[in-house]
Amino acid sequence: MKIESVTAHPLRTELETPFAFSQGWVRARCATLVEIRTNDGLVGWGEAFCQGLEAPEISATIIRDCFAWMITGQSPLDTERLWFEMYNRSRDFGRKGSVMAAISAIDTALWDIAGKAYGRPVWQLLGGAFRREVEPYATGFYRVTGQGEAARLVEEAQMHRERGFRFMKVKIGFGVEDDIEVMNAIHAAMEGSGITLMVDANHAYGRAEAVYLGEAMADMGLRWFEEPVVPEDLESYAHLRGRLPMAIAGGENEHGLYGFNALFRSGAVDIAQPDIGSCGGITGMRHIMALAQASGIEVNPHVWGSSVAQAASLQVIAALPDAHHALFARQPILEYDQSAHPFRNDLTTRPMTMKEGRVAIPDAPGLGIEVRRDTVEAYRI
Ligand code: CA
């Protein structure tokens, strides 16, 4: 079996209501998909993580101009070998960002093909499922005007609770005092209802502000404080981890086994959040899972992509060992973005759904999805 074609599909749809996270206003949802075909007629799909402020054409161009020709004609089952070939041959201009996102997309599509070739879900190829379902957490709480939205965000929390979520992640990073007002309001409204909160600053702060904010939230029982400072500032990460009571999480903007090795060796995080679409794909995730296990660090994947990335993320969550083994070991929770996103509901024939507060992990071959070509064509740039 040989790789016959590698096609990038950059997708874009304008949002009716733009929303903000701490780094800017998101006016469109985008996705970069890759479709790989073999000479046997198998098709694999992968996705490059497209950040809210990133143009999907960037990874698409890298897939097309940098890697498509490199892997065409090779065996799609050589996932590890092709990962290193792509990584090594792009090292001098890659290693991070969109180049790694392009590698991630291709690698995920190769694993999808491998699963279809062997007739097994990806989690089986990874060594088996530690779990066949996962509890999702609501990611949302984006801003529509900017600051001063505490009352509206409390209403959003109540909506997530009514829909059956027990975990919620609140976007912060809109000024320390505004964040504290929002978190005090949501925490007070949710108190006593069995809801666990997390916060995500999207690296809005420096060390001093992050300490001040973290101390103000010390008694909220937060499961984690995500990306308090910029991803490059590993020293501040380590400082916060020693100083604040809650777990420090990060890694959605880190890449590959080398990047995560540096993150772990610097003592930066309690919880690593690799994104399947930028950490190096399934192969990258496998490397990071082993590194994390050896470092005593919990892996809780980040996912903000389309239903392709969600499906791939579910496969690795199934195969993720407990970080700290115990009879009642804490389980990973699934990031379930609650913002408007047509690439979630209409892109695959079996979009991810929550039933009774849980998301089932499919056992169909590969990623367990069929991509709808009509949706790809409708939104393709
Ligand atoms: Ca985040």
Side-chain angles (χ1 to χ4, degrees):
M1 184 165 40
K2 286 188 165 65
I3 296 169
E4 197 168 75
S5 67
V6 180
T7 311
H9 300 287
L11 311 180
R12 179 184 177 91
T13 179
E14 301 298 322
L15 291 174
E16 268 178 37
T17 311
F19 61 80
F21 69 119
S22 77
Q23 298 304 303
W25 287 94
V26 178
R27 302 185 190 284
R29 283 303 291 254
C30 301
T32 310
L33 303 185
V34 67
E35 174 185 10
I36 300 183
R37 293 181 164 270
T38 72
N39 62 337
D40 302 19
L42 290 179
V43 181
W45 290 89
E47 179 171 353
F49 179 30
C50 190
Q51 303 271 0
L53 306 177
E54 180 179 353
E57 294 94 332
I58 301 172
S59 312
T61 301
I62 298 166
I63 289 168
R64 190 189 62 208
D65 293 343
C66 184
F67 297 123
W69 61 268
M70 195 186 288
I71 63 168
T72 299
Q74 303 212 48
S75 169
L77 304 180
D78 286 1
T79 47
E80 187 81 17
R81 188 179 65 73
L82 291 177
W83 192 95
F84 277 99
E85 183 166 346
M86 290 188 284
Y87 187 89
N88 289 335
R89 290 176 69 173
S90 62
R91 175 177 272 117
D92 289 358
F93 56 92
R95 294 186 287 127
K96 305 270 187 190
S98 300
V99 174
M100 280 300 283
I103 291 175
S104 304
I106 290 171
D107 178 82
T108 302
L110 295 179
W111 279 86
D112 189 24
I113 289 172
K116 289 167 178 168
Y118 294 121
R120 294 285 184 272
V122 167
W123 58 253
Q124 185 67 71
L125 305 190
L126 287 171
F130 289 87
R131 58 195 66 77
R132 291 296 312 281
E133 58 173 24
V134 58
E135 186 160 359
Y137 70 87
T139 281
F141 302 95
Y142 305 101
R143 305 298 179 94
V144 293
T145 59
Q147 296 177 314
E149 297 190 54
R152 189 186 64 77
L153 296 170
V154 166
E155 284 177 19
E156 182 176 337
Q158 284 159 344
M159 182 190 76
H160 295 320
R161 184 179 59 191
E162 282 160 21
R163 292 185 57 202
F165 286 102
R166 294 194 306 145
F167 298 92
M168 303 176 195
K169 188 167 82 184
V170 180
K171 286 287 183 190
I172 58 169
F174 297 86
V176 166
E177 297 307 331
D178 189 88
D179 289 348
I180 292 171
E181 187 187 333
V182 165
M183 288 309 297
N184 280 338
I186 294 175
H187 180 251
M190 294 294 111
E191 202 160 21
S193 61
I195 301 291
T196 299
L197 298 171
M198 292 85 78
V199 291
D200 181 3
N202 289 101
H203 53 76
Y205 295 120
R207 187 186 298 197
E209 282 178 304
V211 167
Y212 181 83
L213 180 56
E215 285 177 348
M217 300 185 295
D219 298 326
M220 294 183 185
L222 298 182
R223 176 145 165 173
W224 69 64
F225 183 176
E226 177 171 330
E227 285 203 300
V229 295
V230 292
E232 300 92 330
D233 190 1
L234 299 179
E235 283 184 14
S236 288
Y237 257 106
H239 177 85
L240 294 170
R241 193 179 173 207
R243 177 82 182 257
L244 294 175
M246 71 284 283
I248 301 297
E252 74 178 79
N253 291 303
E254 193 48 79
H255 309 270
L257 81 160
Y258 305 103
F260 276 86
N261 189 40
L263 189 73
F264 296 166
R265 288 174 73 163
S266 62
V269 293
D270 298 284
I271 298 169
Q273 300 172 300
D275 188 294
I276 191 82
S278 68
C279 76
I282 307 250
T283 299
M285 195 68 89
R286 203 160 62 106
H287 297 155
I288 292 159
M289 279 155 55
L291 275 173
Q293 189 71 27
S295 309
I297 290 167
E298 207 175 316
V299 174
N300 204 121
H302 170 270
V303 62
W304 202 66
S306 79
S307 44
V308 174
Q310 285 180 326
S313 206
L314 279 178
Q315 294 293 316
V316 296
I317 285 174
L320 190 57
D322 290 340
H324 311 290
H325 180 261
L327 192 54
F328 302 106
R330 188 158 84 161
Q331 295 300 298
I333 49 178
L334 170 73
E335 181 157 24
Y336 203 156
D337 178 25
Q338 297 296 299
S339 66
H341 200 334
F343 306 145
R344 179 165 314 122
N345 298 327
D346 306 328
L347 192 57
T348 57
T349 52
R350 276 168 293 191
M352 189 174 91
T353 51
M354 178 167 83
K355 279 200 189 114
E356 291 164 10
R358 305 239 149 206
V359 171
I361 298 173
D363 58 4
L367 300 181
I369 51 166
E370 295 296 330
V371 172
R372 283 177 51 184
R373 194 159 294 280
D374 55 335
T375 305
V376 173
E377 293 305 325
Y379 293 101
R380 196 174 195 281
I381 297 172

